[in-house]
Amino acid sequence: MTVLPGQAAAAQDDAAATPADPLELAAAWLPAAEDGPGPTMTLSTLGLDGYPSARTVLLSRFDGERLHFHTDSRSRKAAELAALLRAAVTLVWPEAARQLVVVGDVAPVTDAEARAAYAARTRYLQVLAWVNDHEAAADTHGRRRELWAAFERQRPGAGLEPPGTWTGYALTPVRMLFWRGATDAASNRLAYERHADGSWAQESWPG
């Protein structure tokens, strides 16, 4: 069979885009750890009632092996992770026609990692970690603005420490699914499954 130059180039592109280790591909898609917090992602856990539970969180960092995220220790997701340390995250880049789904095991991060993630947050998100509790959520919008302004008066400027309820987690992948769209061909998905020895199996699925 004759292979045309365009076909050969496409085959080389496909080979370069499908490394044996999906963490290499994830590193190409996700921001580097030194770049600070990444995009938002949908975090899915198993609810305490047995139903799936999902919400949008910020990807704190990707360290090359794990995806980090942070929350309030009094939150529903923290309670769900306490019951089952497994989760899935979904990241979408519509403008690039890409989607990444990662399923894996979750573990709490160290105190130093949690503090570093808090320090990398914007001032707004740092204050939010202090004042965004159930009591404030049930109050009026006007009252929430008053509480926010009062906090800013009491603790002006930079250098906020994280509240005691600040907690973080890191997800170690066991399955990774990379979706890539196209306008001139069918979309496709690269599915990776981690073996017990740490190696990865790879399959191509229809998009």
Side-chain angles (χ1 to χ4, degrees), residues 74-130:
R74 299 163 295 181
S75 66
R76 178 179 294 184
K77 51 186 166 298
E80 291 168 351
L81 288 170
L84 181 65
L85 281 170
R86 291 179 177 177
V89 295
T90 303
L91 298 101
V92 181
W93 298 269
E95 70 287 350
R98 288 178 175 178
Q99 176 181 272
L100 172 59
V101 180
V102 184
V103 178
D105 299 310
V106 177
V109 301
T110 65
D111 181 65
E113 288 173 322
R115 293 179 67 86
Y118 184 83
R121 290 291 202 268
T122 64
R123 170 74 181 190
Y124 172 82
L125 292 177
Q126 288 181 341
V127 175
L128 187 67
W130 277 95

Side-chain angles (χ1 to χ4, degrees), residues 9-129:
Q12 291 174 354
D13 288 344
D14 285 346
T18 56
D21 187 343
L23 295 172
E24 294 180 16
L25 185 53
W29 285 26
L30 298 170
E34 58 269 21
D35 293 336
T40 57
M41 59 187 185
T42 300
L43 170 68
S44 302
T45 52
L46 182 64
L48 299 181
D49 57 3
Y51 286 96
S53 183
R55 76 290 287 162
T56 300
V57 300
L58 189 67
L59 171 63
S60 295
R61 65 188 288 252
F62 172 61
D63 63 14
E65 296 285 340
R66 306 178 301 164
L67 289 86
H68 296 236
F69 59 94
H70 293 77
T71 188
D72 191 301
S73 61
R74 299 163 295 181
S75 66
R76 178 179 294 184
K77 51 186 166 298
E80 291 168 351
L81 288 170
L84 181 65
L85 281 170
R86 291 179 177 177
V89 295
T90 303
L91 298 101
V92 181
W93 298 269
E95 70 287 350
R98 288 178 175 178
Q99 176 181 272
L100 172 59
V101 180
V102 184
V103 178
D105 299 310
V106 177
V109 301
T110 65
D111 181 65
E113 288 173 322
R115 293 179 67 86
Y118 184 83
R121 290 291 202 268
T122 64
R123 170 74 181 190
Y124 172 82
L125 292 177
Q126 288 181 341
V127 175
L128 187 67

Side-chain angles (χ1 to χ4, degrees), residues 74 131-140 143-144 147:
R74 299 163 295 181
V131 304
N132 193 30
D133 56 22
H134 286 284
E135 183 178 353
D139 218 327
T140 65
R143 179 57 181 157
R144 290 198 301 273
L147 291 171

Side-chain angles (χ1 to χ4, degrees), residues 165-187:
T165 54
W166 177 258
T167 189
Y169 301 90
L171 184 151
T172 299
V174 297
R175 290 197 293 273
M176 304 184 75
L177 189 63
F178 298 81
W179 176 86
R180 294 179 295 192
T183 58
D184 59 351
S187 58

